[in-house]
């Protein structure tokens, strides 16, 4: 069986097989101040992974046309719209903030109908007798013969017209006395059930009570896991261990479409650059590389263009995120949110309360290596060394 040869003269759109001058699927493009990577959009929105082919056909066959870009962009926008609407609906639903309007029940009013009494049989007989008497009187005045020699007997006999009132009708039964209209009592609307407060769900990765904090002789903290007994010098290391090992919340690995290696999502661009020569998203001004194109845009706006939506008016400082801005605002306020339960002292920062609790527990982590005297804070140890042991400073 003969096979047909497909000759490609220009770029080939992998989505519609059209030929022309098209855009590369993996190259970042800017549209309305947003950086788009079409291969990532296909993967995230439609769950379609289009791999580039090796060799000479890689550059001309790994492209997408403008028509398919517009349809892909609409699909991504629609997916985001559905997700946002569904999230808002479920949020209002669980807060009992959605109410349905119940149609009010209407009571039909009874229409009063007046019924005239029909004539009885005796009344109808009296009317008929009177009509017969009137007919006899009329015949008395009629002549015997007409001028034409025709008698009344020769004329056609017409049946007498009976009026509706003189016709005998069957008497209608007398209506029964009307009962007073029954008014239906409306049932009171059911009282809305009070939503019982749902038990607070434990957050995934909650590790507050899953470790024991111990301080060694050298003054260093150790975070020991209650589940397996492993200890760590830093709390973030214990958090990562607890989430990955005991809660099974390991990040999902994504396979490379050019080789059999599996990498983390944020390490995939660096893997593609090191192993396959595809450049990772980078800043054109300083050359810094990032995992995602959106990070490049945020980096350039903040560090190179000086744009920030979170700026402090008293000190004219700018911040990258709202969390950093809110953390900075504590310096300008007099609110002390952290209170000691033993002596009622208040602190602005959680770190200050943590250092204060070391005094109550008599935990002196900072030890002088010359005279072995211990202190609560690092600053106290430095002051001691400057006064007592200046040669060691």
């Amino acid at each position: 069986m003969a096979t047909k040869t497909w000759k490609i003269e220009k770029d080939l759109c992998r989505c519609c097989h059209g030929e022309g001058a098209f855009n590369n699927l993996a190259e970042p493009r800017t549209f309305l101040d947003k950086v788009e990577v079409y291969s990532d959009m296909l993967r995230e929105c439609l769950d379609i992974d289009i791999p580039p082919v090796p060799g000479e056909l890689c550059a001309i066959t790994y492209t997408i046309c403008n028509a398919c870009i517009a349809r892909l962009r609409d699909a991504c926008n629609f997916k985001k719209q559905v997700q946002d609407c569904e999230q808002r609906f479920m949020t209002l639903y669980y807060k009992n903030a959605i109410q349905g309007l119940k149609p009010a029940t209407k009571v039909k009013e009874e229409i009063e109908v007046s019924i005239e009494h029909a004539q009885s049989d005796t009344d109808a007989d009296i009317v008929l007798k009177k009509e017969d008497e009137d007919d006899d009187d009329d015949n008395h005045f009629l002549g015997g013969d007409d001028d034409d020699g025709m008698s009344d007997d020769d004329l056609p006999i017409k049946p007498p017209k009976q009026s509706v009132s003189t016709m005998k009708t069957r008497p209608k039964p007398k209506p029964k006395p009307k009962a007073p209209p029954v008014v239906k009592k409306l049932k009171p609307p059911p009282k809305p059930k009070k939503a019982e407060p749902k038990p607070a769900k434990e957050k995934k990765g909650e590790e507050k009570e899953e470790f024991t904090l111990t301080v060694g002789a050298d003054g260093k903290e150790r975070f020991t896991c209650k589940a397996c007994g492993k200890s760590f010098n830093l709390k973030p290391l214990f958090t990562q261990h607890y989430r990955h090992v005991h809660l099974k919340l390991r990040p999902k690995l994504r396979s490379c479409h050019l080789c059999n290696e599996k990498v983390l999502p944020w390490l995939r661009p660096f893997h593609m650059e090191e192993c396959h020569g595809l450049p990772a998203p980078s800043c054109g001004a300083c050359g810094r590389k990032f995992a995602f194109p959106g990070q490049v845009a945020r980096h350039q706006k903040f560090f190179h263009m000086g744009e920030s939506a979170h700026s402090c008016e008293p000190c004219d400082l700018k911040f990258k995120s709202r969390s950093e801005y809110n953390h900075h605002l504590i310096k300008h306020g007099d609110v002390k949110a952290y209170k000691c339960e033993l002596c009622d002292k208040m602190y602005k920062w959680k770190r200050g309360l943590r250092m204060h609790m070391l005094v109550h527990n008599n935990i002196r982590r900072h030890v002088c290596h010359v005279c072995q005297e211990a202190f609560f804070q690092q600053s106290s140890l430095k002051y001691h060394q400057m006064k007592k042991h200046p040669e060691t400073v």
Side-chain angles (χ1 to χ4, degrees):
M1 180 177 181
T3 58
K4 295 182 180 180
T5 303
W6 190 3
K7 294 182 180 180
I8 300 175
E9 299 178 358
K10 298 181 180 180
D11 295 341
L12 175 69
C13 176
R14 291 289 290 273
C15 298
C16 67
H17 287 181
E19 294 187 25
F22 302 144
N23 298 325
N24 191 282
L25 280 167
E27 184 178 352
R29 295 278 177 171
T30 304
F31 178 76
L32 297 178
D33 297 335
K34 291 183 179 180
V35 180
E36 298 176 340
V37 180
Y38 305 120
S39 60
D40 294 344
M41 293 169 64
L42 285 168
R43 190 179 301 106
E44 294 172 1
C45 180
L46 304 178
D47 198 17
I48 298 176
D49 194 359
I50 299 181
V53 296
E56 298 178 355
L57 295 176
C58 180
I60 63 174
T61 61
Y62 199 61
T63 57
I64 183 173
C65 65
N66 293 330
C68 293
I69 290 174
R71 298 180 67 181
L72 175 61
R73 193 178 291 131
D74 292 341
C76 294
N77 293 336
F78 179 71
K79 179 180 179 181
K80 186 177 183 302
Q81 171 191 326
V82 174
Q83 290 174 342
D84 294 342
C85 292
E86 183 64 13
Q87 181 180 4
R88 183 172 180 269
F89 174 80
M90 296 307 297
T91 302
L92 295 176
Y93 174 76
Y94 285 118
K95 289 183 178 179
N96 291 331
I98 302 177
Q99 296 180 356
L101 296 177
K102 295 182 179 180
T105 55
K106 296 182 179 180
V107 180
K108 295 183 179 180
E109 297 181 357
E110 294 187 358
I111 302 174
E112 294 184 0
V113 181
S114 59
I115 302 174
E116 296 180 357
H117 295 283
Q119 292 180 347
S120 60
D121 293 339
T122 55
D123 297 337
D125 295 339
I126 294 172
V127 173
L128 290 174
K129 288 179 180 180
K130 286 183 178 181
E131 288 183 355
D132 295 339
E133 292 176 358
D134 294 339
D135 293 339
D136 295 340
D137 294 338
D138 293 337
N139 294 331
H140 177 72
F141 291 101
L142 291 174
D145 295 330
D146 291 337
D147 296 336
D148 296 335
M150 293 181 65
S151 64
D152 294 337
D153 296 332
D154 297 332
L155 295 176
I157 300 174
K158 295 182 179 180
K161 296 183 179 180
Q162 294 181 354
S163 61
V164 177
S165 60
T166 58
M167 293 177 64
K168 288 188 178 182
T169 57
R170 300 184 69 181
K172 296 181 180 180
K174 294 182 179 180
K176 297 180 180 179
K178 293 190 298 180
V182 178
V183 180
K184 296 182 179 179
K185 294 184 179 180
L186 294 176
K187 295 182 179 180
K191 296 181 179 179
K193 297 181 180 179
K194 295 183 179 179
E196 298 180 357
K198 297 182 179 179
K201 296 182 179 179
E202 295 182 359
K203 296 182 180 179
K204 291 184 178 180
E206 191 72 24
E207 70 283 343
K208 288 185 178 180
E209 299 180 356
E210 299 298 334
F211 67 89
T212 55
L213 177 61
T214 57
V215 180
D218 54 354
K220 294 183 178 180
E221 294 180 343
R222 301 289 296 179
F223 298 88
T224 305
C225 179
K226 293 182 179 179
C228 61
K230 286 188 178 181
S231 58
F232 303 89
N233 294 332
L234 300 176
K235 187 178 179 182
L237 296 178
F238 163 76
T239 303
Q240 180 180 356
H241 158 77
Y242 186 77
R243 287 174 59 86
H244 292 182
V245 176
H246 301 294
L247 296 182
K248 306 297 182 183
L249 296 177
R250 295 179 181 271
K252 294 182 179 179
L253 298 177
R254 299 182 64 177
S255 60
C256 177
H257 55 270
L258 297 179
C259 61
N260 296 328
E261 187 174 352
K262 293 185 178 182
V263 294
L264 295 171
W266 53 87
L267 297 179
R268 183 173 177 272
F270 305 105
H271 163 76
M272 299 296 293
E273 183 177 22
E274 293 176 2
C275 301
H276 306 291
L278 295 177
S282 60
C283 176
C286 61
R288 184 178 174 183
K289 297 181 180 180
F290 298 88
F292 303 102
Q295 296 176 348
V296 181
R298 288 194 296 267
H299 162 79
Q300 291 177 345
K301 285 184 179 180
F302 182 76
F303 288 100
H304 300 294
M305 303 174 65
E307 297 180 6
S308 176
H310 312 287
S311 59
C312 180
E313 295 182 358
C315 57
D316 199 20
L317 289 177
K318 295 182 179 180
F319 302 90
K320 290 187 295 184
S321 61
R322 188 171 186 84
S323 59
E324 294 180 359
Y325 171 68
N326 293 336
H327 190 264
H328 168 77
L329 287 180
I330 300 177
K331 295 181 179 179
H332 299 294
D334 296 331
V335 179
K336 296 181 179 181
Y338 300 98
K339 180 181 178 181
C340 176
E341 298 178 356
L342 300 177
C343 62
D344 295 338
K345 279 190 175 183
M346 306 282 291
Y347 296 89
K348 283 186 178 181
W349 311 98
K350 188 176 182 180
R351 178 181 57 188
L353 177 60
R354 191 186 303 117
M355 296 297 298
H356 171 73
M357 294 305 296
L358 296 177
V359 179
H360 288 295
N361 298 327
N362 196 22
I363 299 175
R364 301 171 183 266
R365 300 182 297 174
H366 306 283
V367 183
C368 177
H369 62 277
V370 178
C371 61
Q372 303 302 319
E373 188 174 354
F375 301 91
F376 296 109
Q377 300 181 7
Q378 181 71 22
S379 58
S380 301
L381 174 60
K382 288 184 178 180
Y383 181 79
H384 163 77
Q385 290 176 346
M386 291 175 60
K387 290 296 183 180
K388 302 295 183 179
H389 316 289
E391 68 278 1
T392 60
V393 180

